Amino acid sequence: MEKVSRNLLEHLLVMMLRIRQFELAVEKNFQLGHIYGTAHLAIGQEASAVGAISALKPNDLISSTHRGHGHCIAKGADLKLMMAEIFGRSTGYCKGKGGSMHIADVSAGNLGANGIVAGSAAIATGAALAAKKMGTGQIVICFEGDGAINEGIWHEAANMASIWKLPVIYLCENNQYGMGMPIKKATNLEKLSDRAKGYNIHGETIDGNDVLAVYKTVSRIAEDVRAGKGPALIECITYRIRGHSLRDAQRYRPEGEAKKWLDTYCPIERFKKYLTKSGYLKTGDIDALLSSVNKEIEEAVKFALESPFLDASRVTEDIYA
Amino acid sequence: MEKVSRNLLEHLLVMMLRIRQFELAVEKNFQLGHIYGTAHLAIGQEASAVGAISALKPNDLISSTHRGHGHCIAKGADLKLMMAEIFGRSTGYCKGKGGSMHIADVSAGNLGANGIVAGSAAIATGAALAAKKMGTGQIVICFEGDGAINEGIWHEAANMASIWKLPVIYLCENNQYGMGMPIKKATNLEKLSDRAKGYNIHGETIDGNDVLAVYKTVSRIAEDVRAGKGPALIECITYRIRGHSLRDAQRYRPEGEAKKWLDTYCPIERFKKYLTKSGYLKTGDIDALLSSVNKEIEEAVKFALESPFLDASRVTEDIYA
Amino acid sequence: MTREISYAEAVRECLRQQMKADDKIFMLGEDVGLYGGAFGVSVGLISEFDSERIMDTPISEQGIVGLAIGAALMGMRPVVEIMFSDFIMLPLEQIANQAAKIHYMFGGKAKVPMVIRTPGGGGIGLAAQHSQSIEGIFLGFPGLKIVLPSSAYDVKGLLASSIKDDNPVLFFEHKLLYQTKEDVPEKPYEIEIGKAHIKRQGSDISVVATSYMVQKSLKVAQKLESEGISVEVVDPRTIKPLDIDTITDSVKKTGKAVLVEEACYTGGFTCFLASEIMKHCFDWLDAPVVRVTSLDCPIPYEHNLENVVIPDEAKIEKAIRELLAKRI
Amino acid sequence: MTREISYAEAVRECLRQQMKADDKIFMLGEDVGLYGGAFGVSVGLISEFDSERIMDTPISEQGIVGLAIGAALMGMRPVVEIMFSDFIMLPLEQIANQAAKIHYMFGGKAKVPMVIRTPGGGGIGLAAQHSQSIEGIFLGFPGLKIVLPSSAYDVKGLLASSIKDDNPVLFFEHKLLYQTKEDVPEKPYEIEIGKAHIKRQGSDISVVATSYMVQKSLKVAQKLESEGISVEVVDPRTIKPLDIDTITDSVKKTGKAVLVEEACYTGGFTCFLASEIMKHCFDWLDAPVVRVTSLDCPIPYEHNLENVVIPDEAKIEKAIRELLAKRI
Ligand SMILES: Cc1ncc(C[n+]2csc(CCOP(=O)(O)OP(=O)(O)O)c2C)c(N)n1
Ligand SMILES: Cc1ncc(C[n+]2csc(CCOP(=O)(O)OP(=O)(O)O)c2C)c(N)n1
Ligand SMILES: [Mg+2]
Ligand SMILES: [Mg+2]
């Protein structure tokens, strides 16, 4: 792997900041009553989305989950259209019909968030099958939570990916919980990547809050996957800083656990420290990047707030293609 | 493990003969037009059913598959009631409502055959959960084909069995094919028991046509499972001598392959050879056992043929308990 | 003693009482323990029982239901929670091919006493995969019972009978009912499965509604009363078995029927009900039965759109007025 | 050129022709290759195409359907075979929550062109888990199309349109139709989805039947003709979208309707159809619509029992005679 460029480092930081600030804005606007329904925030999990997707080529694909804003942003989505969708506006990615859990942009390589845990596992694998059949050279990253790998469909998809050597990476974001279920109670594994052994595919567990580690690992594995060596399972260890959704009382979580992770392992703070220590960026540079990100987010919120709702008469459009 | 007794050896042989002769009778009576629908014969796979179930205690449980006659017989089923069921008679285990694919005897510890591949995987696991909850000391053998382990529900069940250390043994009869699909094309594994690694449970692959090996392995593992060490996956290598069902053209199978397996690895012939060589039984003893088995089978067929069909007016009974 | 408690509390109280009375009963589901379920229904139970009685599972709906079947075959009485009724599609095979048919296929020699509780319906902005009213798909699987309680009193009594039933029972709660309150006796009681309930007597028109639509229909009936329109509201309470007699008695009396459910227009329970009413009441009907349902549309995310798709009081009222206005 | 070929051959010919014409089409299913499918439908295709176009899969129904959705999103046109329609319960979530809703949830910006072929129905002694008529459960999922061809001619033309459709299409074949023969043009042709077909003109009574029941109804109609009873037999061909106009035109003409389907009495497609007919034809109907269906019973194994559960010609005939005999 070549040495990472300053451009790339800046990109990684900006993307993580975008995700963090976007999620904070969603949280705030929910509290303000501008967002209906719910959303699942990726605060604290920015590094796995950004590191992994930055290792892809532009025409590669991803599939995402209910906790999908980060993946979507890292894949280059338009923040305005995302925010508008979450605000339920007609200008959003799905015209307000989908909402947070269904944002997608298939033509730009995002096969979509999914309201069903592991709902994308086979779909992503099928996209990889199509890429292989059509010889496009694309690969697919299938994002999934630690809870998702216990769903049957994940197993069926992984097995088929293995027998047909499909170009797909299952990127499992182990954020320690599936809703309130601690991962240690949901599987009997040291590392979730051990699941790979059951399919004879490559498995690897990494620090998912180290954006460079994620970037480098995914880059290396993506090369093999693209070369036809078959799928892989990468477990990114991370932590969900907020509740499961915007409406979670968090009874199950030891007091202070989230704060400890944030204080010690925040992927953004760690990366900032690395960048300043190693001289790539100065604190001032970072502040400038942050304020430009904040401006984008403000614009996105403004765009969303000023956008119209879809006219009720159009509710039954788009049922059939 | 203690040395096996002569009684046990005779039991193993008789059970295998019963299965073989039963299946031959089913095949013949299908050709004669006495059996409607279809059936899936276990000819050539007698050792895994008999070896495994003989290692259980009488009140232990099994669950079975579409290819279930062997398991059912080895669990001590009444051949008359089985044959009557396959003949669709009111005297059968299910009054003719279930047929070959649904023979069950829950109160005698057989949770039933199943028409759905892997359909019993979670059910068997749930029986193990109940046994554990109620402290009965029972264990469960969940029989399944090589094809079944690629179904999602199998994965979900195995994971739960692992986290809760449930007393269940998944006994995978790898008969080389799932219908016409060669096992090597359906998974990317050297040994199917490698699947165990994905759940951190014990996995082992054995010669499934060696009845003593099966008996000894299952006995050893059953002890651990009963002691609360968690579930296990045992792969029994065997071979399906007949077609998938009574109606299979067998286009997918190399000419002579079945004959070769039968000539070389027939579990019954091998065991007979072992018994005579080691002096446990004489050829004459074996012939006597066979003819007594044949008599049982004849009686079962006679019973079935002479039994009435269920009166049509009773077809809607038994829908609700 | 009777107190006003919520539907969610009534479910919880029933679970607590039944589990205390019978140690063969246990709960199995995703985050039913400390989390208390996505809608807080089982909050606190884990501290009265333990993690053997209130089992948190991995996210494995097929497996959960399958395990419950196996445990039921062994004589236990599992109560499964599927977090959203939409997810019940995943274990459909285990429910409809196994649990429903085992008693029959095995010639009556085994039984599967289990309950699957799950909240259905829309109205809180969770979009197409978390808002469906899916109960109708189970109608065609003989062996299943299907219960849809519409009030706190009913849910407590019906859940008790469901748990005591020796068959697999699908028990559909509703997200928007959880906070509705009603007088509920503290002592355990049972409501017979298969008995409809006339929620409000009336003489001009019969409204047959299920689940949350019963509450909406009652509000409309109340409103129309002031105009001298007398609406009878019948709640089948269990759609399988169905108490068709109580319903047809009402329709024969009024000569007019409006059926209200939250499922789509095509394919829901009221299709069957409409067809049965017309079969049994053909000569009594002044006009065809009218069905008020969701539009044939996935549930959209945005609030206004969602409200357009799901039947509201205005639509129910309109249907009633139009049917009453029909010249016979 | 037209020749008499079987329904199974017609499916095979259509697959061959469509796959030759469009390399985005591929088949995916259990033992669809060398084995040729459980009913021999695809026998031989593997030697004309290869294992990339005719893909044998592991036994993983959820995964198969999910893969097809992903491939469809990428612009391919997968044709999945589910070996028995009973097994379609397993991938229900992928079909009904994903494939059906993606176009809508994504605001119209993605589409899922795919076909799921699967044989339904009983009659060959395969008992409760291999004999169901399950199509009705899909009615309530907007976004799906549901096709039930009843003859060799229809199956070829409808499969072609289904493959070319940009939506997920569920294509229910029938085990007992596979060997039925009919004149079928060799050249590819399409039959529009959403158009019913009057299989036989008549003036005394309308019989609306689906799938194999069309054949049984036609035989009854033929028989009654000699007695001077003129039965019109209408086949909706696609139950979603449904050509209600052709059906109601027929019923308005005859004033009498018998609906025949193989699903259980409770919950099948004809519940919806009966309710629609009564809504649209109330003033034309001489008597309530009559439904002839399977009993509310799992399909039993034994032949005679199976025949008691599934509607036969005698039951259809009886229903027609009784309806005609009704004093108006
Ligand atoms: C099939 C299904 N079951 C349950 C749920 C409810 N649910 C939504 S997210 C979630 C937890 C998922 O955990 P994980 O996969 O670890 O993702 P995370 O939320 O931690 O990102 C659950 C149980 C669902 N959406 N789909
Ligand atoms: C869910 C499901 N899918 C497909 C089938 C059709 N089917 C019946 S048996 C079988 C092959 C099973 O293979 P395996 O598990 O190896 O068992 P074997 O027949 O070899 O004993 C298939 C595909 C089924 N019954 N259930
Ligand atoms: Mg998680
Ligand atoms: Mg096999």
Side-chain angles (χ1 to χ4, degrees), chain D:
Chain D
M1 208 198 84
T2 297
R3 325 116 302 159
E4 207 177 60
I5 61 174
S6 74
Y7 187 98
E9 285 164 334
V11 174
R12 188 184 314 135
E13 185 166 279
C14 178
L15 289 168
R16 179 191 300 118
Q17 291 174 343
Q18 300 301 325
M19 286 178 61
K20 286 221 166 114
D22 182 353
D23 63 10
K24 293 278 182 288
I25 304 169
F26 68 101
M27 275 183 72
L28 194 64
E30 293 160 14
D31 267 319
V32 292
L34 254 183
Y35 201 107
F39 296 92
V41 171
S42 51
V43 163
L45 289 183
I46 186 75
S47 61
E48 296 178 62
F49 300 93
D50 59 15
S51 60
E52 286 287 303
R53 301 291 299 282
I54 315 268
M55 297 191 77
D56 277 333
T57 66
I59 309 173
S60 305
E61 289 79 5
Q62 286 187 79
I64 296 167
V65 170
L67 259 66
I69 297 171
L73 282 172
M74 297 284 285
M76 300 200 71
R77 307 188 88 83
V79 178
V80 170
E81 178 176 290
I82 298 291
M83 195 181 286
F84 284 78
S85 75
D86 312 69
F87 312 157
I88 207 168
M89 295 185 201
L90 287 162
L92 177 66
E93 192 282 319
Q94 290 287 302
I95 297 170
N97 261 339
Q98 312 286 344
K101 300 190 172 88
I102 278 177
H103 187 65
Y104 188 82
M105 293 189 303
F106 293 5
K109 294 193 193 93
K111 57 189 190 183
V112 185
M114 63 185 279
V115 178
I116 302 181
R117 292 179 43 245
T118 188
I124 60 171
L126 296 182
Q129 294 177 335
H130 287 74
S131 308
Q132 293 163 88
S133 296
I134 201 176
E135 56 278 0
I137 69 167
F138 294 99
L139 285 168
F141 299 109
L144 299 178
K145 297 190 176 180
I146 311 173
V147 181
L148 276 91
S150 69
S151 76
Y153 177 86
D154 283 1
V155 84
K156 184 173 172 188
L158 285 166
L159 183 54
S161 340
S162 299
I163 291 173
K164 292 185 178 178
D165 200 285
D166 275 344
N167 299 284
V169 178
L170 301 174
F171 196 87
F172 289 95
E173 302 169 7
H174 193 292
K175 301 175 187 74
L176 292 181
L177 284 172
Y178 280 133
Q179 295 319 316
T180 60
K181 296 195 166 188
E182 196 173 25
D183 275 355
V184 175
E186 203 168 307
K187 277 225 189 98
Y189 57 96
E190 288 166 43
I191 296 175
E192 193 182 336
I193 291 180
K195 286 276 169 261
H197 187 221
I198 299 183
K199 292 280 168 194
R200 183 193 170 95
Q201 306 269 354
S203 52
D204 294 331
I205 191 166
S206 303
V207 172
V208 188
T210 55
S211 192
Y212 188 48
M213 292 298 141
V214 174
Q215 300 301 338
K216 290 193 182 180
S217 301
L218 284 171
K219 283 198 191 123
V220 174
Q222 175 102 31
K223 176 176 170 196
L224 293 177
E225 189 184 335
S226 61
E227 297 180 33
I229 300 173
S230 170
V231 180
E232 179 146 302
V233 178
V234 186
D235 176 1
R237 292 208 287 215
T238 67
I239 62 173
K240 189 160 187 184
L242 178 64
D243 179 2
I244 189 70
D245 292 343
T246 300
I247 296 169
T248 53
D249 284 352
S250 172
V251 176
K252 285 177 183 171
K253 182 175 73 177
T254 63
K256 296 176 188 63
V258 172
L259 315 185
V260 194
E261 72 173 324
E262 198 172 322
C264 292
Y265 183 72
T266 306
F269 156 68
T270 59
C271 296
F272 175 63
L273 182 58
S275 135
E276 286 299 283
I277 290 176
M278 293 202 256
K279 171 175 161 185
H280 295 294
C281 309
F282 192 71
D283 294 332
W284 285 264
L285 282 173
D286 300 328
V289 170
V290 172
R291 296 175 54 233
V292 181
T293 67
S294 284
L295 302 182
D296 272 337
C297 181
I299 307 292
Y301 164 64
E302 194 270 314
H303 198 34
N304 292 307
L305 298 179
E306 190 176 15
N307 283 341
V308 171
V309 171
I310 297 175
D312 58 8
E313 289 158 37
K315 277 190 198 154
I316 300 171
E317 184 182 330
K318 186 160 170 277
I320 293 173
R321 287 188 190 279
E322 283 177 5
L323 184 50
L324 284 168
K326 273 229 170 100
R327 292 263 38 96
I328 318 302

Side-chain angles (χ1 to χ4, degrees), chain A residues 78-119:
Chain A
D78 184 324
L79 301 186
K80 287 198 180 87
L81 307 195
M82 279 182 70
M83 196 63 89
E85 187 56 34
I86 295 168
F87 277 59
R89 308 299 163 125
S90 66
T91 51
Y93 268 109
C94 320
K95 308 179 187 167
K97 290 176 175 176
S100 164
M101 278 192 283
H102 305 295
I103 298 177
D105 192 0
V106 175
S107 60
N110 179 354
L111 297 164
N114 207 308
I116 300 297
V117 170

Side-chain angles (χ1 to χ4, degrees), chain B residues 145-147 173 175-178:
Chain B
D146 45 275
E173 295 179 299
N175 62 4
Q176 313 303 318
Y177 292 95

Side-chain angles (χ1 to χ4, degrees), chain B residues 86 102 161 167 198 240-241 264 287 297 311 316:
Chain B
I86 295 168
H102 305 295
R240 193 192 72 212
I241 296 296
T264 328
D287 290 346
I297 306 288
D311 191 84
T316 52

Side-chain angles (χ1 to χ4, degrees), chain A residues 22 29 34-35 79-92 297-309:
Chain A
F22 186 92
N29 280 279
H34 293 148
I35 295 174
L79 301 186
K80 287 198 180 87
L81 307 195
M82 279 182 70
M83 196 63 89
E85 187 56 34
I86 295 168
F87 277 59
R89 308 299 163 125
S90 66
T91 51
I297 306 289
E298 265 165 48
E299 278 164 17
V301 170
K302 187 161 177 287
F303 174 79
L305 267 175
E306 289 173 359
S307 289
F309 290 106

Side-chain angles (χ1 to χ4, degrees), chain B residues 48 58 63 72 97 135 149 247 251 266 310:
Chain B
S48 51
S63 72
C72 194
K97 291 176 176 176
I149 61 164
R247 300 175 190 273
R251 271 180 286 269
C266 171
L310 193 72

Side-chain angles (χ1 to χ4, degrees), chain A residues 11-314:
Chain A
H11 170 83
L12 295 175
L13 178 64
V14 168
M15 278 296 180
M16 291 205 292
L17 290 173
R18 249 188 212 150
I19 296 173
R20 173 70 57 92
Q21 301 309 101
F22 186 92
E23 296 293 54
L24 290 171
V26 169
E27 189 173 48
K28 185 172 140 207
N29 280 279
F30 177 78
Q31 283 152 3
L32 291 173
H34 293 148
I35 295 174
Y36 176 60
T38 195
H40 307 83
L41 305 181
I43 292 175
Q45 305 181 206
E46 296 85 356
S48 50
V50 171
I53 292 173
S54 301
L56 292 180
K57 297 188 178 170
N59 76 332
D60 285 333
L61 297 139
I62 66 160
S63 73
S64 174
T65 69
H66 58 287
R67 197 175 305 287
H69 303 166
H71 312 136
C72 194
I73 292 172
K75 187 71 181 131
D78 184 324
L79 301 186
K80 287 198 180 87
L81 307 195
M82 279 182 70
M83 196 63 89
E85 187 56 34
I86 295 168
F87 277 59
R89 308 299 163 125
S90 66
T91 51
Y93 268 109
C94 320
K95 308 179 187 167
K97 290 176 175 176
S100 164
M101 278 192 283
H102 305 295
I103 298 177
D105 192 0
V106 175
S107 60
N110 179 354
L111 297 164
N114 207 308
I116 300 297
V117 170
S120 296
I123 296 175
T125 308
L129 174 68
K132 187 176 176 189
K133 277 186 185 304
M134 303 192 290
T136 62
Q138 292 161 294
I139 72 169
V140 185
I141 292 184
C142 173
F143 285 97
E144 58 199 15
D146 44 276
I149 62 163
N150 298 323
E151 284 282 7
I153 193 168
W154 182 81
H155 168 77
E156 299 184 7
N159 181 55
M160 285 190 270
S162 173
I163 56 176
W164 296 328
K165 299 211 179 305
L166 301 182
V168 53
I169 296 172
Y170 301 102
L171 197 140
C172 180
E173 295 178 299
N174 176 357
N175 63 3
Q176 312 304 319
Y177 291 95
M179 249 173 99
M181 182 77 163
I183 180 61
K184 286 288 169 213
K185 287 191 179 172
T187 70
N188 181 24
L189 298 174
E190 265 308 302
K191 297 177 297 174
L192 298 185
S193 60
D194 285 349
R195 277 280 157 83
K197 296 179 189 166
Y199 311 98
N200 192 17
I201 63 177
H202 180 73
E204 198 164 331
T205 292
I206 60 173
D207 179 348
N209 278 8
D210 176 348
V211 69
L212 267 183
V214 176
Y215 173 80
K216 289 179 181 170
T217 307
V218 175
S219 296
R220 165 171 48 80
I221 291 177
E223 219 167 287
D224 288 348
V225 167
R226 206 183 299 276
K229 298 194 181 159
L233 170 61
I234 305 176
E235 178 190 14
C236 288
I237 304 284
T238 180
Y239 190 83
R240 193 192 74 211
I241 296 295
R242 290 299 196 268
H244 166 66
S245 71
L246 294 173
R247 300 175 190 274
D248 172 5
Q250 302 184 51
R251 271 179 287 268
Y252 51 85
R253 181 142 76 173
E255 190 85 34
E257 188 183 86
K259 190 175 177 314
K260 202 177 120 197
W261 271 84
L262 191 62
D263 291 349
T264 327
Y265 296 110
C266 171
I268 295 178
E269 290 309 317
R270 279 170 67 183
F271 193 50
K272 279 192 200 164
K273 219 171 275 171
Y274 164 81
L275 291 173
T276 47
K277 264 209 180 145
S278 45
Y280 285 112
L281 289 176
K282 303 215 170 63
T283 313
D285 301 336
I286 294 176
D287 290 345
L289 291 173
L290 178 62
S291 59
S292 104
V293 163
N294 279 339
K295 236 182 97 194
E296 286 180 79
I297 306 289
E298 265 165 48
E299 278 164 17
V301 170
K302 187 161 177 287
F303 174 79
L305 267 175
E306 289 173 359
S307 289
F309 290 106
L310 192 72
D311 191 84
S313 67
R314 300 183 55 192

